[in-house]
Amino acid sequence: MLRYLVSALLISGSAAHAVELHHVDVRTGTDGLSPLSLKLTNASSEAIACSADIAHWYSVELATAPPSAEIRIDLWFDPETGTYSMLNDKRENLPVERLWCGFADRAYVTRSQIVLEPSAQAAERPVRCSGANGRLSCG
């Protein structure tokens, strides 16, 4: 009897959490967006890796740099919404939630977030990353 009661509760409970699938329009191309190139200098004694969080569960590595090297990260800025995006191979806009760099062999645990101000001019500033106390600091 208990088995039937548990089965009935599981069946009725799962229906309450059904997900409705619907079409999502994805912005493609760069119309209305401003290109910008973020210049980062690796002033640490170790290689660094920089990544972007494009969804709260997904990140993509953008670039790596050996010590004393400079890298450029190309982004797109939407002045109407203040959103930074990167383009995938289909030219779909992937909104950047966070941009960060860390030491290449342990990037996530040593990461330093790079603040993206809500204006295209703010992102044009050079960023210098250096190491201190086992962590990377970018600013």
Side-chain angles (χ1 to χ4, degrees):
M1 179 69 163
L2 181 61
R3 180 174 26 168
Y4 296 115
L5 179 60
V6 170
S7 296
L9 289 172
L10 289 174
I11 290 170
S12 66
S14 63
H17 298 292
V19 175
E20 181 181 337
L21 299 177
H22 55 88
H23 177 74
V24 174
D25 289 321
V26 177
R27 182 177 183 168
T28 58
T30 59
D31 288 344
L33 303 178
S34 302
L36 53 97
S37 187
L38 186 63
K39 183 175 109 177
L40 290 106
T41 301
N42 181 3
S44 77
S45 60
E46 298 182 50
I48 64 171
C50 298
S51 296
D53 292 343
I54 57 172
H56 64 273
W57 67 92
Y58 187 72
S59 65
V60 62
E61 187 173 300
L62 300 175
T64 58
S68 303
E70 290 183 355
I71 55 176
R72 288 196 178 275
I73 297 175
D74 295 322
L75 299 173
W76 294 89
F77 180 74
D78 184 341
E80 288 185 25
T81 64
T83 303
Y84 288 90
S85 297
M86 53 185 285
L87 301 178
N88 66 10
D89 60 344
K90 298 174 191 163
R91 297 188 49 82
E92 295 170 328
N93 289 207
L94 305 175
V96 174
E97 291 182 1
R98 235 177 265 80
L99 184 65
W100 50 271
C101 298
F103 293 121
D105 60 342
R106 55 198 190 286
Y108 188 77
V109 297
T110 62
R111 72 191 179 281
S112 175
Q113 184 171 331
I114 298 164
V115 176
L116 296 172
E117 300 294 334
S119 74
Q121 294 78 17
E124 295 293 338
R125 66 175 167 70
V127 175
R128 184 174 186 274
C129 296
S130 58
N133 300 323
R135 290 192 66 90
L136 194 66
S137 177
C138 298

